[in-house]
Amino acid sequence: MWPYPKILAHRGGGTLAPENTLAGLRRGMEAGFRAIEFDVMLARDGVPVVLHDPELGRTVAGSGSVAEIDAPALAARDAGAWFAPEFAGEPVPLFAEFAQYCKAHGVWMNIEIKPVPGHDARTGTVVARLAAALFADDLAAGRVERAPLLSSFSEAALEAARHAAPALPRAWLTASLPRDWARRARALDVVAIHTDHKRLTAAQAAAVKAAGFGLFCYTVNTPARARELFGWGVDGLCTDRIDLIGPAFN
Ligand code: G3P
Ligand code: MG
């Protein structure tokens, strides 16, 4: 039912290292994690980069939209100094290199497709194609559980990903479950629903599981809450507190 790891390090290393960077991923790996969630969007040249915000300024030095800068220029920006001086110079990762690093180190990926507004379908297509190409060997051998799980709040991005790489599993991210969640999840042909644990109820969790979908929660930062959610039947979660909820948490 849920063939994936139960606990994922959110944005690579949670809040213990700069998010969505190789340094963050390494911090997660130091804590024993071999499963992460991270965010991907397209730069101006259509090259996918690992980033959360469509605007520069919070984690990446500078200002303006990611859609107005080419990937090489973005990769030269500082994505670590905001977090702590020792991370200064940490670059914005190119998605292809970051995913390759994960694969080489046996780190399972939940890739969140997070399009810059207005670039939904193109982002879904590009990310799905690259991920499917990187895991072509596993997909051909039927080892789908090793391939990344693509997720997105953008239904257009999910539809495009489905069209571009039908063999790659997808999950629908929704901050809360709308009344027609089951119909929409079936229409999107997703294997799982990813949702904010703060708005999830035990009854909804049971209904999602009864409908046959995987159920994943973001972003769970206390062991007590993680335990409660697993008691509700939740299959997996990501955490910012990789120091409190480790990869072997049960
Ligand atoms: O994929 C789960 C979670 O990352 C979604 O929210 O804003 O942290 O990307 P956000
Ligand atoms: Mg995310």
Side-chain angles (χ1 to χ4, degrees), residues 168-181:
L168 267 188
R170 295 165 307 281
W172 176 35
L173 261 165
T174 178
S176 61
L177 268 65
R179 206 183 284 275
D180 60 347
W181 62 266

Side-chain angles (χ1 to χ4, degrees), residues 195-200 217-221 225 229 232:
T195 197
D196 187 343
H197 76 96
K198 290 183 183 138
R199 304 204 210 166
L200 183 71
C217 284
Y218 68 91
T219 300
V220 183
N221 294 327
R225 180 60 170 162
L229 292 167
W232 290 358

Side-chain angles (χ1 to χ4, degrees), residues 114-134:
K114 213 178 214 18
V116 175
H119 298 262
D120 299 57
R122 189 158 159 253
T123 309
T125 300
V126 170
V127 174
R129 275 201 194 130
L130 269 167
L134 184 59

Side-chain angles (χ1 to χ4, degrees), residues 10-11 37-39 52 112 114 153 173:
H10 188 226
R11 304 184 193 175
E37 183 270 0
F38 60 92
D39 309 290
H52 181 276
E112 184 188 340
K114 213 178 214 18
F153 288 104
L173 261 165

Side-chain angles (χ1 to χ4, degrees), residues 25-238:
L25 166 57
R26 291 201 185 102
R27 182 67 186 80
M29 290 175 71
E30 276 164 29
F33 280 84
R34 293 295 178 274
I36 64 166
E37 183 270 0
F38 60 92
D39 309 290
V40 180
M41 64 187 65
L42 300 185
R44 178 170 65 183
D45 50 9
V47 174
V49 294
V50 180
L51 259 184
H52 181 276
D53 298 3
E55 301 286 330
L56 303 181
R58 182 176 66 89
T59 65
V60 181
S63 61
S65 168
V66 171
E68 292 163 356
I69 308 175
D70 290 340
L74 262 176
R77 301 266 176 132
D78 189 317
W82 70 277
F83 187 85
E86 66 261 34
F87 292 105
E90 186 65 31
V92 175
L94 299 177
F95 167 64
E97 291 178 8
F98 193 80
Q100 178 62 57
Y101 185 95
C102 286
K103 188 178 188 218
H105 290 83
V107 176
W108 181 75
M109 292 174 263
N110 169 205
I111 301 169
E112 184 188 340
I113 304 169
K114 213 178 214 18
V116 175
H119 298 262
D120 299 57
R122 189 158 159 253
T123 309
T125 300
V126 170
V127 174
R129 275 201 194 130
L130 269 167
L134 184 59
F135 284 85
D137 48 354
D138 286 316
L139 293 174
R143 297 186 297 259
V144 180
E145 73 287 352
R146 290 202 199 176
L149 176 61
L150 306 178
S151 60
S152 192
F153 288 104
S154 164
E155 294 182 45
L158 288 175
E159 292 285 12
R162 175 191 192 180
H163 186 71
L168 267 188
R170 295 165 307 281
W172 176 35
L173 261 165
T174 178
S176 61
L177 268 65
R179 206 183 284 275
D180 60 347
W181 62 266
R183 184 191 62 73
R184 282 163 73 172
R186 279 192 203 102
L188 287 166
D189 192 22
V190 293
V191 299
I193 294 176
H194 291 200
T195 197
D196 187 343
H197 76 96
K198 290 183 183 138
R199 304 204 210 166
L200 183 71
T201 66
Q204 286 175 331
V208 170
K209 294 310 301 168
F213 294 102
L215 180 58
F216 179 90
C217 284
Y218 68 91
T219 300
V220 183
N221 294 327
T222 65
R225 180 60 170 162
R227 224 165 271 123
E228 180 175 39
L229 292 167
F230 286 130
W232 290 358
V234 167
D235 294 300
L237 57 83
C238 60

